[in-house]
Amino acid sequence: MVPDFKSSIFKIKSLAWTDEQTRFYLQLRIEEKLKGNDRKQNVNEAGRQSIIDKFYDAYGERHPWRKFGIKHATCKTQCTKYK
């Protein structure tokens, strides 16, 4: 049997970020960097869980770390293009 790629296991839901959510997430990244949980653009597991939990507390939305990583990469690209 061929797996159904449209099932919830393989389906990637797009996440629409508001400016406020983006700003909050980037502030959380800075906090984790100051704590020593972010080195060379890589957040360790404790920092990741902290960001996920604080974002959930603020917005009531829990997302996998991959979504946060994608947002960080997008922001870096936009900043580079802006400069």
Side-chain angles (χ1 to χ4, degrees):
M1 180 179 258
V2 178
D4 179 15
F5 290 103
K6 292 184 180 182
S7 70
S8 61
I9 296 172
F10 296 103
K11 193 173 187 178
I12 298 174
K13 184 179 174 188
S14 150
L15 176 61
W17 291 74
T18 65
D19 291 341
E20 181 183 338
Q21 289 173 327
T22 301
R23 192 175 306 110
F24 184 70
Y25 165 62
L26 293 175
Q27 287 173 344
L28 292 175
R29 285 287 296 232
I30 291 169
E31 287 176 14
E32 293 305 318
K33 185 173 182 97
L34 293 174
K35 290 180 190 176
N37 291 330
D38 183 349
R39 296 197 177 155
K40 295 184 180 180
Q41 307 278 328
N42 292 318
V43 182
N44 64 19
E45 189 59 38
R48 289 177 182 182
Q49 196 58 49
S50 175
I51 289 172
I52 290 170
D53 291 342
K54 287 178 182 177
F55 193 86
Y56 176 75
D57 291 342
Y59 295 103
E61 300 175 6
R62 188 172 297 276
H63 303 292
W65 179 251
R66 184 168 186 272
K67 296 291 185 181
F68 292 102
I70 291 169
K71 186 60 179 178
H72 188 256
T74 302
C75 289
K76 280 178 42 180
T77 302
Q78 289 173 343
C79 183
T80 302
K81 287 180 180 180
Y82 178 76
K83 287 181 181 181

Short mmCIF file of all heavy atoms in Angstrom, two decimals, residues 41-65:
data_model
loop_
_atom_site.label_atom_id
_atom_site.label_comp_id
_atom_site.label_asym_id
_atom_site.label_seq_id
_atom_site.Cartn_x
_atom_site.Cartn_y
_atom_site.Cartn_z
N GLN A 41 24.19 30.57 16.04
CA GLN A 41 22.86 30.49 15.42
C GLN A 41 22.13 29.18 15.69
O GLN A 41 21.12 28.89 15.07
CB GLN A 41 22.95 30.72 13.91
CG GLN A 41 23.67 31.99 13.51
CD GLN A 41 22.78 33.20 13.56
OE1 GLN A 41 21.60 33.11 13.33
NE2 GLN A 41 23.35 34.35 13.85
N ASN A 42 22.67 28.36 16.60
CA ASN A 42 22.02 27.10 16.95
C ASN A 42 21.57 27.15 18.41
O ASN A 42 22.39 27.32 19.30
CB ASN A 42 22.97 25.91 16.75
CG ASN A 42 23.27 25.68 15.30
OD1 ASN A 42 22.38 25.75 14.46
ND2 ASN A 42 24.53 25.41 14.98
N VAL A 43 20.29 26.97 18.62
CA VAL A 43 19.74 26.99 19.96
C VAL A 43 19.75 25.57 20.52
O VAL A 43 19.32 24.62 19.84
CB VAL A 43 18.28 27.54 19.95
CG1 VAL A 43 17.72 27.60 21.36
CG2 VAL A 43 18.23 28.90 19.30
N ASN A 44 20.25 25.41 21.76
CA ASN A 44 20.27 24.07 22.35
C ASN A 44 18.85 23.67 22.77
O ASN A 44 17.92 24.46 22.70
CB ASN A 44 21.27 23.97 23.50
CG ASN A 44 20.92 24.86 24.67
OD1 ASN A 44 19.79 25.30 24.83
ND2 ASN A 44 21.91 25.11 25.51
N GLU A 45 18.70 22.44 23.22
CA GLU A 45 17.37 21.89 23.52
C GLU A 45 16.66 22.67 24.63
O GLU A 45 15.46 22.91 24.56
CB GLU A 45 17.48 20.41 23.91
CG GLU A 45 16.15 19.71 24.02
CD GLU A 45 15.33 19.74 22.73
OE1 GLU A 45 15.90 19.63 21.65
OE2 GLU A 45 14.09 19.89 22.83
N ALA A 46 17.40 23.09 25.66
CA ALA A 46 16.78 23.87 26.75
C ALA A 46 16.25 25.20 26.22
O ALA A 46 15.15 25.63 26.57
CB ALA A 46 17.79 24.11 27.86
N GLY A 47 17.01 25.85 25.36
CA GLY A 47 16.58 27.12 24.77
C GLY A 47 15.38 26.94 23.86
O GLY A 47 14.45 27.76 23.87
N ARG A 48 15.39 25.87 23.09
CA ARG A 48 14.26 25.59 22.19
C ARG A 48 12.97 25.41 22.98
O ARG A 48 11.94 25.98 22.65
CB ARG A 48 14.53 24.33 21.37
CG ARG A 48 15.58 24.49 20.33
CD ARG A 48 15.82 23.18 19.61
NE ARG A 48 16.88 23.34 18.63
CZ ARG A 48 17.29 22.40 17.83
NH1 ARG A 48 16.73 21.20 17.88
NH2 ARG A 48 18.25 22.63 16.97
N GLN A 49 13.05 24.59 24.02
CA GLN A 49 11.85 24.31 24.81
C GLN A 49 11.36 25.57 25.51
O GLN A 49 10.16 25.82 25.60
CB GLN A 49 12.13 23.21 25.84
CG GLN A 49 10.88 22.62 26.41
CD GLN A 49 9.97 22.03 25.34
OE1 GLN A 49 10.39 21.28 24.47
NE2 GLN A 49 8.71 22.37 25.38
N SER A 50 12.30 26.40 25.96
CA SER A 50 11.93 27.65 26.63
C SER A 50 11.19 28.58 25.66
O SER A 50 10.15 29.16 26.01
CB SER A 50 13.19 28.34 27.15
OG SER A 50 12.88 29.60 27.68
N ILE A 51 11.69 28.70 24.43
CA ILE A 51 11.05 29.55 23.43
C ILE A 51 9.67 29.02 23.08
O ILE A 51 8.69 29.78 23.03
CB ILE A 51 11.93 29.67 22.17
CG1 ILE A 51 13.17 30.51 22.48
CG2 ILE A 51 11.15 30.27 21.00
CD1 ILE A 51 14.21 30.54 21.36
N ILE A 52 9.55 27.73 22.87
CA ILE A 52 8.26 27.12 22.53
C ILE A 52 7.26 27.36 23.65
O ILE A 52 6.11 27.74 23.39
CB ILE A 52 8.43 25.61 22.24
CG1 ILE A 52 9.19 25.41 20.92
CG2 ILE A 52 7.08 24.90 22.19
CD1 ILE A 52 9.63 23.98 20.66
N ASP A 53 7.70 27.16 24.90
CA ASP A 53 6.79 27.33 26.04
C ASP A 53 6.37 28.79 26.23
O ASP A 53 5.19 29.07 26.47
CB ASP A 53 7.44 26.81 27.33
CG ASP A 53 7.59 25.29 27.33
OD1 ASP A 53 6.89 24.62 26.53
OD2 ASP A 53 8.40 24.79 28.13
N LYS A 54 7.31 29.71 26.12
CA LYS A 54 6.98 31.13 26.30
C LYS A 54 6.07 31.62 25.18
O LYS A 54 5.17 32.43 25.41
CB LYS A 54 8.25 31.97 26.37
CG LYS A 54 9.00 31.80 27.67
CD LYS A 54 10.27 32.62 27.68
CE LYS A 54 11.03 32.39 28.98
NZ LYS A 54 12.31 33.13 28.98
N PHE A 55 6.29 31.14 23.96
CA PHE A 55 5.43 31.53 22.84
C PHE A 55 4.02 30.99 23.07
O PHE A 55 3.04 31.69 22.84
CB PHE A 55 6.00 30.99 21.53
CG PHE A 55 5.39 31.58 20.30
CD1 PHE A 55 5.86 32.77 19.77
CD2 PHE A 55 4.31 30.97 19.66
CE1 PHE A 55 5.29 33.33 18.64
CE2 PHE A 55 3.74 31.52 18.54
CZ PHE A 55 4.23 32.71 18.03
N TYR A 56 3.93 29.78 23.58
CA TYR A 56 2.62 29.19 23.89
C TYR A 56 1.91 29.98 24.99
O TYR A 56 0.72 30.26 24.89
CB TYR A 56 2.77 27.73 24.30
CG TYR A 56 1.47 27.10 24.71
CD1 TYR A 56 0.52 26.74 23.75
CD2 TYR A 56 1.17 26.87 26.04
CE1 TYR A 56 -0.68 26.17 24.11
CE2 TYR A 56 -0.03 26.30 26.42
CZ TYR A 56 -0.95 25.96 25.45
OH TYR A 56 -2.15 25.40 25.82
N ASP A 57 2.65 30.35 26.02
CA ASP A 57 2.07 31.13 27.12
C ASP A 57 1.54 32.48 26.63
O ASP A 57 0.50 32.95 27.08
CB ASP A 57 3.10 31.37 28.22
CG ASP A 57 3.44 30.10 28.98
OD1 ASP A 57 2.68 29.12 28.89
OD2 ASP A 57 4.50 30.09 29.64
N ALA A 58 2.25 33.10 25.70
CA ALA A 58 1.87 34.43 25.22
C ALA A 58 0.73 34.37 24.20
O ALA A 58 -0.15 35.24 24.20
CB ALA A 58 3.07 35.13 24.60
N TYR A 59 0.73 33.37 23.31
CA TYR A 59 -0.22 33.35 22.20
C TYR A 59 -1.15 32.15 22.17
O TYR A 59 -2.06 32.08 21.33
CB TYR A 59 0.53 33.44 20.86
CG TYR A 59 1.25 34.75 20.71
CD1 TYR A 59 2.62 34.84 20.91
CD2 TYR A 59 0.55 35.91 20.41
CE1 TYR A 59 3.28 36.04 20.80
CE2 TYR A 59 1.20 37.12 20.30
CZ TYR A 59 2.56 37.18 20.50
OH TYR A 59 3.22 38.37 20.40
N GLY A 60 -0.92 31.18 23.03
CA GLY A 60 -1.78 30.00 23.05
C GLY A 60 -1.61 29.11 21.84
O GLY A 60 -2.48 28.30 21.53
N GLU A 61 -0.49 29.23 21.17
CA GLU A 61 -0.20 28.42 19.98
C GLU A 61 1.10 27.66 20.22
O GLU A 61 2.11 28.27 20.54
CB GLU A 61 -0.05 29.30 18.74
CG GLU A 61 -1.26 30.11 18.39
CD GLU A 61 -1.01 31.06 17.22
OE1 GLU A 61 0.08 31.01 16.62
OE2 GLU A 61 -1.90 31.85 16.93
N ARG A 62 1.06 26.35 20.05
CA ARG A 62 2.27 25.54 20.20
C ARG A 62 2.67 25.03 18.82
O ARG A 62 1.89 24.41 18.13
CB ARG A 62 2.03 24.38 21.15
CG ARG A 62 3.29 23.62 21.49
CD ARG A 62 3.08 22.60 22.58
NE ARG A 62 2.70 23.19 23.85
CZ ARG A 62 3.54 23.68 24.75
NH1 ARG A 62 4.82 23.69 24.50
NH2 ARG A 62 3.10 24.18 25.89
N HIS A 63 3.91 25.33 18.45
CA HIS A 63 4.41 24.93 17.13
C HIS A 63 5.69 24.13 17.31
O HIS A 63 6.43 24.33 18.27
CB HIS A 63 4.71 26.17 16.28
CG HIS A 63 3.54 27.08 16.12
ND1 HIS A 63 2.43 26.74 15.39
CD2 HIS A 63 3.29 28.32 16.61
CE1 HIS A 63 1.55 27.72 15.42
NE2 HIS A 63 2.05 28.69 16.17
N PRO A 64 5.98 23.24 16.35
CA PRO A 64 7.25 22.51 16.41
C PRO A 64 8.42 23.47 16.17
O PRO A 64 8.25 24.53 15.56
CB PRO A 64 7.13 21.48 15.28
CG PRO A 64 6.10 22.04 14.36
CD PRO A 64 5.18 22.87 15.19
N TRP A 65 9.59 23.09 16.64
CA TRP A 65 10.76 23.95 16.51
C TRP A 65 11.06 24.28 15.05
O TRP A 65 11.55 25.37 14.74
CB TRP A 65 11.98 23.32 17.17
CG TRP A 65 13.16 24.21 17.01
CD1 TRP A 65 14.24 24.01 16.22
CD2 TRP A 65 13.35 25.50 17.63
NE1 TRP A 65 15.10 25.08 16.29
CE2 TRP A 65 14.56 26.01 17.16
CE3 TRP A 65 12.60 26.26 18.51
CZ2 TRP A 65 15.05 27.25 17.56
CZ3 TRP A 65 13.09 27.49 18.91
CH2 TRP A 65 14.30 27.98 18.43
#
